[in-house]
Amino acid sequence: MTITVEQGSATVTTHFINGEWTDAESPTFAVTNPFNGEVVAEAAAGGRREAEAAVAAAAAAYPAWAALAPGERQRLFLKAADIVDRRHEELVELMAVEGGASRAFSSFQIRLSSAMLRQAAGWGYLPAGDVIRSDIPGRTATVTRKPLGVVAGFTPWNGAFYLAWRTFLLPLAFGNTTVIKPSELAPMSAGLVHAEILEEAGFPAGTFNVVTHAPGEAAAISDVFFESPAVRCINFTGSDKTARILGAQAGRALKRMVLELGGFNPVILLDDADIDESIKAVTFGAFLHQGQVCMNSRKIYVDRSIHDEFVAGLTARVKSLKIGDPRDPEVIIGPLINERAVQQIDERVQDALNRGATLETGGHSDGLIYEPTILTHVPADAICTTGADETFGPLLVIEAFDDVETAFRAAQDTPYGLSASIMTRDRSRGLDLAERFDTGIVHINAPTMASEAALPVGGVKDSGWGRSGLYAIEDFTELRLTTVSSKPGRYPF
């Protein structure tokens, strides 16, 4: 299969199972460009039959893949990275027409994906385990890491290209085989284009499989993942609401899960913060991909002594962001993913304004494009400021504070615990505050969106559990204890 994104034409996609692009016996469904509504693909609407075939293929491929020499895996990962680099321009185009991603965000994902492939290429050479001292004379005890088997992944529509790599690449790097169910909103950039890349790189058949489904028809595929004994782990990136449903299934099936969920992601600007740098960091952190990323900044707490200057500077910078078709290289703010997303943002903005909030900029939509919006003086009971439910879009709330402790307690008053940022010129002061945050990530003088391929991204509380990067070895391998005794044992009977 060849994925194309030519203007006015639509790709017809199929599933990728056991190294082959299968004929779609089931109906197809339309994938549309969120900017103009054009159909960009007709994707295969798979279900239980395709999922079962994909899991069987992964299970059959697992023994050989797990036993493959590290150098062979390394060669494949590096070749895949080269292909990602070579296809940069067409990948940018794909992410624009399928997911509304700007060139800046698409290029950001491509660079991270290439870097992660190149870093993962060396992970097969990591130490395989430890030798543990035994209290039993003549006994040697070794603890080794073994891959789990088949890992099934759910890949999201937002940040689709990079987050899909993260979902399946980490299990592959540690010797597992994979089956991916991409979001129906972005089946190509959340899975199918990856299959093209891995196929060209020469990955063995069955190591990576993709099954797509029509809107509202995920359950049949999901059920197979949880029911199959071959699937040892479920890797999910998405909302905490969906994760609770999947978690209940995992509990019944006793399946391991890795979850990367939502976040409220506060930023605290102390009185000694560099205002110009803070404006740049917050603009990037809040409005990258129209605020549709789990690590986007949602609420900014600003010391009152610098509040007015910061708000004025931030508002001016945000107003300068170009809005429009994400195919335009200069556009930063493109469309939201669908009408429901626009409706949620508008309802929450209007709720805050009706309660007395001040609109600094934004607050209007044109089709699926919602202007980047900044609210100040938002009452504590407004939906968008409580931290109880993530607002997924280009909406930023700013609150002044007189006391750092009060701001810190407010920033922590959320069920989420993914990312947080602290802006200050005083390194010690920043580190002291960071140590107390109950989040998986804290950045000092950087956006909540800061990311690198090898770093352990992940959250606590309702933001999930498990980590990406090198630390994913904890999630996608299991420990095996082996002992060897060279002397006769002593037994109580």
Side-chain angles (χ1 to χ4, degrees):
M1 188 183 78
T2 301
I3 291 174
T4 59
V5 288
E6 296 176 3
Q7 190 74 31
S9 66
T11 295
V12 178
T13 76
T14 61
H15 312 289
F16 186 71
I17 301 173
N18 201 27
E20 296 182 352
W21 296 97
T22 66
D23 293 330
E25 297 180 6
S26 52
T28 61
F29 65 97
V31 180
T32 58
N33 183 332
F35 178 71
N36 56 25
E38 289 183 355
V39 175
V40 297
E42 291 289 341
R48 188 175 190 91
R49 180 179 63 85
E50 291 83 2
E52 289 174 343
V55 169
Y62 168 68
W65 178 253
L68 196 66
E72 284 300 302
R73 277 195 221 151
Q74 183 178 62
R75 179 184 62 81
L76 294 170
F77 286 132
L78 292 177
K79 188 171 182 181
D82 289 340
I83 296 169
V84 169
D85 292 341
R86 188 192 77 220
R87 295 185 65 173
H88 186 282
E89 290 305 312
E90 58 185 290
L91 292 170
V92 166
E93 184 83 353
L94 173 63
M95 284 182 264
V97 300
E98 190 178 37
S102 68
R103 182 180 186 86
F105 185 46
S106 298
S107 295
F108 176 72
Q109 292 184 68
I110 293 166
R111 288 193 300 271
L112 274 176
S113 299
S114 177
M116 184 166 58
L117 278 160
R118 296 183 190 283
Q119 293 196 20
W123 292 349
Y125 291 103
L126 291 172
D130 301 287
V131 177
I132 309 296
R133 294 183 183 275
S134 173
D135 285 332
I136 308 300
R139 173 177 290 179
T140 300
T142 59
V143 178
T144 53
R145 288 198 172 274
K146 301 291 184 181
L148 303 175
V150 177
V151 176
F154 296 74
T155 60
W157 56 264
N158 63 317
F161 186 70
Y162 172 65
L163 293 178
W165 281 115
R166 198 178 71 183
T167 299
F168 68 81
L169 174 60
L170 301 176
L172 280 176
F174 299 121
N176 305 280
T177 52
T178 57
V179 181
I180 298 301
K181 185 210 76 62
S183 167
E184 68 272 25
L185 298 176
M188 295 184 292
S189 48
L192 291 171
V193 75
H194 304 76
E196 281 193 343
I197 292 167
L198 296 189
E199 181 186 31
E200 182 181 347
F203 277 68
T207 55
F208 176 73
N209 305 270
V210 185
V211 178
T212 57
H213 65 88
E217 300 298 326
I221 298 172
S222 174
D223 287 347
V224 172
F225 291 169
F226 285 102
E227 292 169 7
S228 172
V231 176
R232 299 290 301 279
C233 178
I234 308 292
N235 190 8
F236 174 78
T237 299
S239 73
D240 58 297
K241 295 179 179 64
T242 302
R244 294 179 195 280
I245 297 171
L246 298 179
Q249 287 184 278
R252 290 191 294 270
L254 293 180
K255 296 280 187 187
R256 180 186 298 204
M257 289 196 76
V258 177
L259 302 172
E260 209 269 82
L261 310 176
F264 198 65
N265 312 318
V267 181
I268 296 180
L269 270 66
L270 302 183
D271 56 3
D272 63 346
D274 183 319
I275 294 179
D276 289 340
E277 283 300 310
S278 298
I279 289 170
K280 294 175 186 177
V282 169
T283 302
F284 175 81
F287 298 113
L288 182 69
H289 196 39
Q290 297 82 256
Q292 297 177 116
V293 181
C294 56
M295 288 190 291
N296 280 126
S297 308
R298 305 296 179 194
K299 189 170 182 179
I300 316 299
Y301 298 87
V302 187
D303 188 279
R304 194 174 302 278
S305 66
I306 60 173
H307 174 269
D308 292 351
E309 182 180 356
F310 171 76
V311 170
L314 179 68
T315 300
R317 187 174 181 87
V318 169
K319 284 182 176 180
S320 73
L321 300 178
K322 187 172 181 179
I323 298 172
D325 187 340
R327 286 188 172 193
D328 182 340
E330 295 183 359
V331 163
I332 300 299
I333 304 296
L336 297 182
I337 192 62
N338 54 34
E339 184 61 40
R340 291 193 305 275
V342 175
Q343 183 178 357
Q344 185 204 60
I345 292 293
D346 193 57
E347 287 176 352
R348 296 190 178 190
V349 170
Q350 296 308 316
D351 170 72
L353 294 177
N354 290 339
R355 296 174 188 273
T358 300
L359 180 66
E360 301 291 343
T361 187
H364 300 93
S365 62
D366 181 5
L368 295 189
I369 293 180
Y370 202 94
E371 296 173 343
T373 300
I374 300 174
L375 297 175
T376 58
H377 307 101
V378 180
D381 57 352
I383 300 171
C384 65
T385 196
T386 62
D389 186 22
E390 184 179 22
T391 300
F392 215 58
L395 172 59
L396 185 65
V397 174
I398 302 176
E399 181 176 314
F401 68 82
D402 298 298
D403 175 67
V404 174
E405 286 301 313
T406 301
F408 175 75
R409 287 194 296 272
Q412 288 279 79
D413 188 19
T414 169
Y416 297 107
L418 183 54
S419 183
S421 288
I422 302 162
M423 308 300 290
T424 176
R425 288 184 170 93
D426 187 333
R427 176 186 175 92
S428 296
R429 193 179 178 198
L431 287 171
D432 287 344
L433 193 58
E435 183 67 23
R436 297 164 53 199
F437 257 108
D438 191 13
T439 56
I441 308 161
V442 184
H443 298 291
I444 299 174
N445 296 327
T448 55
M449 281 290 303
S451 185
E452 295 180 40
L455 298 183
V457 172
V460 299
K461 301 191 291 186
D462 286 3
S463 291
W465 58 74
R467 295 294 182 269
S468 64
L470 178 58
Y471 291 85
I473 193 171
E474 303 285 346
D475 299 308
F476 299 117
T477 62
E478 55 192 359
L479 296 176
R480 176 179 297 169
L481 169 65
T482 304
T483 68
V484 178
S485 297
S486 59
K487 294 182 179 182
R490 294 182 179 181
Y491 307 101
F493 59 90

